[in-house]
Amino acid sequence: MPSTNGDERPFCFAVLGPVRIWRHGTELDLGARQQRLILALLLANAGQPVGIGDIVEALWDQRPPQSAVNVVHRYIGALRRLFEPGLPARSAGRWLLGDAAGYRIRVDSDSLDLLLLRRLTDQARSDELAGRLPEAMAAYEEALGMWQGPCGGASELASYDHLAFSVVDHECADLAREATSLALRLDRARSVLPVLRRMAEHRPLDEALQARLLLALSADGQQAEAIALYENVRRRLADELGVDPGEELREAHQLVLRQSVAGSALPGEAEPPPGRAQADRAPSRTAVLPAQLPADLPWFTGRDEARRRTLGLVNGHVMTQVSMPVLAIDGLPGIGKTSLAIHLAHQLADAYPDGQLYVDLQGFDPEQSVLHPAEALQGFLNALGVPDSDIPASHHARSGLYRSVLAGRRILVVLDNAHSVEQVRPLLPGAPGCLVLVTSRKRLTGLATAHGAHLMTLDVLLPEDARRFLTARIGAGRTGTDPAAVDEIVERCGRLPLALAVVAARALTHPDHGLADIARELREAQGSLDGFADHDMGNDIRAIFSWSYRMLGHRAARMFRLLSLHPGMDITVAAMASLTGVPLREARQLAGELVRTGLLTEHTVGRFTTHDLIRAYAQELVHLHEDGPARESAAARLLHHYRQTAYEADLLLAPPVVLEPPSAPADVVTARLNDAAAAVTWFNADRQVIKAVVQRQIDDGRADPAWRLAVSLQRFLQGEGWWHDWAAMARSCLQAATAAGDDLGRAHMSRSLAGAEHVLGDNDTAARLLGQSLDLFEGLGRCREQALVHRNLGQVSVAQENHLDGVAHYERALKLFESLDDLYHQIAVLCCLADAHSFLGRPDVSTALAHRALSIAEALNDLNGQGLCYETLGKSFCAAGDLPASLASWTRGAEIYRQTGWRMNSVECLLHQGDTALTLGDPTGAHAAWQQALDLLSHLRVPQVQAIEERLARLETATVRPRGAR
């Protein structure tokens, strides 16, 4: 929607599709992905403030870097200068405003397509209610014509569906359904078909939207396509959700088959009226409004973000008045789902004056059977004034009557402790004025897919909220006197609300019992659940966890018990398969069973975790039901999984490792990795777990598997910048190997620790350790390892500016590798030699050596080797004074390293690329290269971060970046 009145409308914004901005009719380059995502988020909120936390969540989901807030501020500054070129640094400007509530963009319905769409939609509804149907249809068609795709193009910008975007998309789908309904009555289906088709493609499981498309196709004479569409949707629902089409879609299909779309009542609607005036006629209301909510907790604390999101969700739906908000809260046992839902319901009750309905669906209570929807519907209908004699026997008919009774009303419905989507679906009202809150131990994805529900997974309380929780329960007088004890209690409870409630009850029962005594009792329990026993079985943590455990099948229960043997915080399906000794497919099924009962959480795709107290419960069970040999066998299989996978991943990082391949039993499953990038991704995800596995081997006195696993991890830690972790692990393994009298382990770990000390800047210690390593390898007769140590000694010598000594070590290493016909390691040594000759003022020799290495790397198709060669050529050309060739080499090296996933190598190339670009008079190119490097280092504490930030700061001061630069 470019501007036609440049002076009156300097900016036009579009978010109904890919985010776009025009200034005086000229479209702007919006910059990098994250910058466009921030813009899309601000525009989707249509001038309302967006908190810094929301922006961080949109950019990085649940894993923001430590510098996230600073990065957001830099993007905001860049956007302000995009709107107003020449705006002084740190100035607010006129268009992108910030305050305590967050950031917002100044927009109105003349400048933002979303607000204009809402204005047109309100006009269309008003005309339709007044019986001005042609005028209403024209407004609907104009509004629909503004839709260009999913809100903000968010699916291409963000890694997950953000609430702000999904609210707008749902709003547009409601508009399309309403417009289609009127178009069918006016025999103008063709006018909405193009947009309806495109929207239905993006929402393939929106049954109401697909039903309207079905009817519109049939009304336009495309009967065969309508029938084929129904079959496609039916198959998709079965394959992806395991459900059959709902009543509305089935009714639409029947109308198409009877070829009686025209003049018929549309599915889900009354007889087609001339307008919508009749929609105001609602069933008579009960004399007593239902008010079934349980009492709110007087000491409810925390969950500020959850409450803010819920209020934003409800306000968004109330503003559009076209759809019913559904919020499904899930989380592990004891996380406080019910408490939050009831608290939210009490906060929102005034907005739903026709009453509140509540039911415990008993989805996970072992003492009671799961409540059938028909029984819940009977209770609801009775509360709404329908006598038993008027309630039909069929639960489908009951559901229809329930929706009819609620039509036109504003009712808040709480469906607590749901077992499944199927149990919830019949209890959903059809009226847009209602609100539904659902709680379940399961993540009810099917509700989001088929009914537009918003999903919220509860995590443990924030530390400060957990402290406030205890203070609210037992009083500030007791918590204020011993804050250290409070902090220990909070952490030993794992910030789980149920555990905190049990401890608070104990403190209230024994007022003379100090908090330090309670903290000591929890400490002495040593991670078990003994500190959380409660006489009330409804509050006892073991009992609560057991409700989910008893629902497991035999094999899933065994997997749950064995998971307590895993030393890391999260685990993959392949590791679970190895731990339990079952095939991968079965492990995946068993993991799904654990997730469905709330004992396991898939916190990222393919990676599962659980709460510390649930882990403690599993640990009790594994010692109760699995004997010592069974536990030892499981732990051995797990070790083999990580050793085998790490070895194979390291092979993909080339050149080949020098250790013999480990042998793994047949019932051990390894991760499937296809290339170096996949290997780096796996190492990044499992880095902490492998560290824990290594430490467990050391603690158990098994030095050999510990240092061998550490060797497989070394190259990744070096290349990704985890240098402090590398040093700590190598040091521990070296001590263990020395204590065990393992000379081979001492030799490898001395060399490994020397590498870590070198990159951290302690070259004297590195040289000493390498000398020890070389002596050991010579005594063991290991030629390849000796060559590696000589190469490392050359690198340390060059770092100490002993370039001739460096050349001597490199040449010794090269001869050894040539004698072994080891081409992969020759590449690295030739590049090291080239660097040394550059330092000695011999750029021609350096360039020749780098090209020789490149020819080997290309013959071997070794991408990492090629990246190293281009990195070396960049230095050689720079030493020779050929800056354009140097820039091209740095750029090519960075591109190759990005393909293979090598972070620190990419950073090194990008750093030099920016330096060279700036020397050649290209500040924009320099800024882009340095910013890319800084983004790669956002999670690390390495010296390069400060160096890059200083460069960017100097550039910011010296130049005003052109539009589009980051």
Side-chain angles (χ1 to χ4, degrees):
M1 46 178 290
S3 172
T4 54
N5 293 324
D7 293 333
E8 297 179 11
R9 293 169 53 194
F11 283 102
C12 287
F13 304 94
V15 75
L16 297 175
V19 60
R20 302 173 70 185
I21 298 179
W22 293 266
R23 182 173 56 216
H24 298 300
T26 300
E27 186 167 1
L28 301 181
D29 177 2
L30 303 183
R33 176 192 68 84
Q34 290 179 309
Q35 193 163 295
R36 285 180 284 137
L37 182 55
I38 292 174
L39 266 175
L41 186 60
L42 293 170
L43 293 174
N45 282 273
Q48 298 300 310
V50 180
I52 191 76
D54 281 334
I55 297 175
V56 169
E57 180 184 8
L59 293 180
W60 293 284
D61 196 3
Q62 302 301 318
R63 305 175 77 107
Q66 292 182 347
S67 60
V69 173
N70 290 334
V71 173
V72 169
H73 289 323
R74 283 203 298 268
Y75 282 127
I76 292 293
L79 288 172
R80 282 172 167 160
R81 288 188 292 277
L82 175 68
F83 295 150
E84 301 174 73
L87 184 71
R90 297 181 179 83
S91 297
R94 299 173 51 217
W95 299 99
L96 208 169
L97 309 177
D99 53 32
Y103 292 106
R104 63 185 179 89
I105 288 185
R106 290 179 56 191
V107 288
D108 55 27
S109 60
D110 289 328
S111 60
L112 177 62
D113 57 354
L114 174 58
L115 290 177
L116 178 56
L117 176 136
R118 288 173 177 168
R119 188 176 73 187
L120 289 168
T121 303
D122 289 343
Q123 177 185 330
R125 289 174 183 145
S126 176
D127 286 339
E128 188 176 0
L129 284 170
R132 298 187 294 270
L133 302 189
E135 292 86 349
M137 195 66 240
Y140 274 133
E141 289 170 355
E142 185 177 354
L144 277 180
M146 305 182 68
W147 187 84
Q148 301 298 315
C151 181
S155 59
E156 299 177 3
L157 299 177
S159 59
Y160 75 109
D161 293 332
H162 193 277
L163 175 64
F165 302 126
S166 61
V167 166
V168 173
D169 289 337
H170 203 70
E171 177 182 347
C172 292
D174 287 335
L175 165 65
R177 289 191 287 266
E178 290 185 63
T180 304
S181 297
L182 182 57
L184 290 170
R185 295 190 191 105
L186 298 179
D187 196 21
R188 291 176 59 173
R190 183 167 296 183
S191 68
V192 298
L193 255 179
V195 176
L196 189 60
R197 280 182 190 273
R198 298 200 312 273
M199 195 175 291
E201 288 175 2
H202 288 284
R203 301 176 65 85
L205 298 176
D206 185 333
E207 294 188 53
L209 190 66
Q210 298 293 337
R212 290 297 184 271
L213 177 56
L214 210 70
L215 298 170
L217 287 169
S218 179
D220 194 47
Q222 302 179 56
Q223 190 82 355
E225 184 178 349
I227 294 172
L229 172 66
Y230 175 80
E231 289 302 318
N232 288 337
V233 176
R234 183 188 62 77
R235 280 195 299 270
R236 191 178 292 116
L237 289 169
D239 292 344
E240 297 186 24
L241 302 179
V243 299
D244 294 324
E247 183 178 1
E248 184 172 353
L249 187 58
R250 292 198 308 272
E251 289 180 5
H253 183 228
Q254 289 301 314
L255 288 174
V256 170
L257 292 178
R258 294 196 302 266
Q259 298 188 24
S260 55
V261 172
S264 297
L266 298 180
E269 295 190 358
E271 289 295 320
R276 289 286 179 95
Q278 296 181 18
D280 289 336
R281 300 174 188 169
S284 60
R285 306 189 178 194
T286 57
V288 178
L289 296 178
Q292 297 183 332
L293 292 180
D296 194 8
L297 293 176
W299 50 74
F300 187 92
T301 55
R303 304 300 187 193
D304 293 340
E305 177 66 14
R307 287 187 281 179
R308 186 195 59 75
R309 284 183 59 187
T310 304
L311 293 174
L313 159 70
V314 174
N315 289 338
H317 284 268
V318 168
M319 181 171 59
T320 59
Q321 296 183 346
V322 294
S323 60
M324 175 190 66
V326 179
L327 177 65
I329 304 168
D330 62 87
L332 55 85
I335 202 70
K337 303 178 290 294
T338 296
S339 297
L340 174 62
I342 291 172
H343 181 72
L344 290 172
H346 279 282
Q347 282 194 311
L348 295 165
D350 290 344
Y352 295 88
D354 296 325
Q356 307 91 42
L357 299 173
Y358 171 88
V359 64
D360 180 358
L361 296 174
Q362 302 166 186
F364 293 87
D365 191 335
E367 305 301 328
Q368 306 178 73
S369 60
V370 175
L371 190 69
H372 194 279
E375 189 174 348
L377 284 167
Q378 177 162 348
F380 280 173
L381 288 169
N382 287 157
L384 292 166
V386 180
D388 286 346
S389 57
D390 291 344
I391 297 177
S394 162
H395 73 272
H396 292 295
R398 287 186 183 185
S399 184
L401 176 61
Y402 168 68
R403 288 194 295 270
S404 298
V405 171
L406 291 184
R409 300 193 189 191
R410 294 186 59 79
I411 293 276
L412 191 157
V413 182
V414 179
L415 307 176
D416 193 20
N417 200 17
H419 183 267
S420 64
V421 173
E422 290 70 25
Q423 189 187 24
V424 169
R425 185 179 285 116
L427 306 177
L428 297 178
C434 294
L435 166 68
V436 181
L437 302 177
V438 186
T439 74
S440 177
R441 295 189 183 185
K442 302 178 182 179
R443 189 165 176 80
L444 302 178
T445 308
L447 278 184
T449 309
H451 299 280
H454 301 275
L455 305 181
M456 179 188 296
T457 300
L458 282 192
D459 201 351
V460 295
L461 292 170
L462 296 171
E464 56 270 24
D465 289 338
R467 287 190 288 270
R468 285 200 295 268
F469 182 101
L470 282 177
T471 300
R473 290 287 185 103
I474 63 179
R478 295 181 69 181
T479 57
T481 59
D482 198 345
V486 171
D487 289 345
E488 183 174 358
I489 290 171
V490 163
E491 289 310 309
R492 293 194 179 277
C493 290
R495 293 182 270 136
L496 185 71
L498 176 60
L500 290 165
V502 170
V503 171
R506 183 181 308 166
L508 290 170
T509 304
H510 304 284
D512 57 339
H513 207 40
L515 295 184
D517 296 325
I518 294 176
R520 188 190 67 253
E521 291 173 0
L522 296 178
R523 190 186 320 128
E524 291 173 350
Q526 296 182 336
S528 75
L529 299 183
D530 291 339
F532 303 100
D534 193 288
H535 296 299
D536 180 0
M537 293 302 290
N539 290 330
D540 185 81
I541 286 186
R542 281 193 183 92
I544 298 295
F545 293 165
S546 72
W547 296 353
S548 291
Y549 177 70
R550 291 181 206 170
M551 298 182 69
L552 300 174
H554 169 73
R555 297 178 73 82
R558 175 174 173 268
M559 173 179 275
F560 173 68
R561 297 191 297 267
L562 291 177
L563 283 175
S564 67
L565 302 177
H566 187 258
M569 296 305 297
D570 64 357
I571 188 170
T572 63
V573 176
M576 283 191 271
S578 298
L579 183 65
T580 52
V582 301
L584 187 65
R585 182 174 182 180
E586 182 179 346
R588 190 173 289 114
Q589 294 170 345
L590 297 177
E593 189 173 346
L594 292 174
V595 169
R596 288 191 293 274
T597 53
L599 293 173
L600 200 64
T601 301
E602 189 174 13
H603 70 103
T604 60
V605 177
R607 303 194 69 85
F608 299 81
T609 189
T610 191
H611 190 272
D612 287 346
L613 294 180
I614 293 181
R615 188 189 305 275
Y617 178 61
Q619 200 162 35
E620 291 182 357
L621 295 174
V622 79
H623 284 87
L624 185 64
H625 297 288
E626 308 289 336
D627 59 19
R631 297 195 300 270
E632 290 173 6
S633 296
R637 288 192 300 268
L638 189 68
L639 172 63
H640 282 301
H641 162 78
Y642 285 111
R643 278 198 61 194
Q644 187 72 38
T645 305
Y647 183 89
E648 294 175 2
D650 195 28
L651 279 177
L652 291 170
L653 302 184
V657 293
V658 294
L659 293 176
E660 301 81 7
S663 58
D667 53 359
V668 169
V669 178
T670 58
R672 299 172 183 174
L673 307 173
N674 300 319
D675 52 28
V680 170
T681 299
W682 181 81
F683 272 130
N684 267 310
D686 269 310
R687 175 178 62 90
Q688 297 291 355
V689 177
I690 298 173
K691 284 171 53 183
V693 171
V694 169
Q695 190 59 49
R696 176 174 288 184
Q697 300 308 305
I698 293 174
D699 294 342
D700 292 343
R702 293 190 286 265
D704 183 82
W707 71 256
R708 289 181 183 274
L709 182 52
V711 167
S712 294
L713 191 63
Q714 169 186 312
R715 187 159 22 206
F716 157 76
L717 294 174
Q718 178 181 0
E720 285 291 278
W722 300 109
W723 298 338
H724 294 281
D725 285 356
W726 176 18
M729 185 183 299
R731 191 173 294 112
S732 296
C733 288
L734 177 57
Q735 293 169 354
T738 302
D742 183 348
D743 284 350
L744 183 59
R746 285 177 59 206
H748 276 291
M749 287 298 99
S750 294
R751 173 176 174 262
S752 182
L753 181 55
E757 297 288 5
H758 167 63
V759 297
L760 289 170
D762 189 351
N763 288 299
D764 292 337
T765 299
R768 176 177 56 79
L769 288 165
L770 287 171
Q772 296 172 5
S773 178
L774 185 60
D775 291 341
L776 288 165
F777 280 132
E778 286 176 345
L780 294 166
R782 311 281 289 213
C783 291
R784 180 173 279 105
E785 287 84 347
Q786 292 173 47
L788 289 170
V789 176
H790 277 296
R791 189 190 77 191
N792 298 145
L793 282 167
Q795 291 168 317
V796 171
S797 297
V798 169
Q800 294 173 324
E801 299 186 359
N802 299 324
H803 301 299
L804 292 176
D805 288 347
V807 169
H809 280 296
Y810 291 146
E811 289 178 343
R812 177 63 179 150
L814 185 59
K815 287 180 181 178
L816 285 169
F817 284 133
E818 288 174 342
S819 70
L820 296 167
D821 198 26
D822 187 335
L823 293 173
Y824 280 101
H825 283 104
Q826 288 178 41
I827 297 169
V829 176
L830 287 168
C831 288
C832 288
L833 262 175
D835 284 345
H837 283 289
S838 286
F839 284 120
L840 290 170
R842 303 166 184 167
D844 293 342
V845 177
S846 175
T847 303
L849 287 167
H851 277 298
R852 177 181 164 191
L854 182 58
S855 65
I856 298 174
E858 289 175 340
L860 295 174
N861 195 28
D862 177 9
L863 280 180
N864 282 317
Q866 292 174 40
L868 178 60
C869 292
Y870 280 109
E871 182 181 350
T872 305
L873 281 169
K875 299 175 188 176
S876 301
F877 286 131
C878 185
D882 189 349
L883 293 186
S886 176
L887 179 62
S889 297
W890 295 124
T891 304
R892 179 61 178 146
E895 290 173 355
I896 292 175
Y897 284 138
R898 274 196 295 271
Q899 292 176 37
T900 57
W902 277 121
R903 187 188 308 271
M904 297 308 296
N905 302 67
S906 297
V907 167
E908 190 69 19
C909 285
L910 288 166
L911 190 60
H912 289 297
Q913 179 184 330
D915 291 344
T916 309
L918 187 61
T919 303
L920 290 171
D922 181 11
T924 301
H927 184 277
W930 293 335
Q931 185 62 56
Q932 287 181 52
L934 189 61
D935 290 344
L936 287 171
L937 296 176
S938 59
H939 67 301
L940 294 172
R941 46 189 179 97
V942 292
Q944 286 88 334
V945 173
Q946 183 178 355
I948 297 169
E949 288 179 339
E950 289 174 354
R951 283 170 166 82
L952 287 169
R954 287 197 299 269
L955 189 63
E956 187 85 19
T957 302
T959 64
V960 176
R961 280 179 277 139
R963 188 186 70 203
R966 293 178 64 190

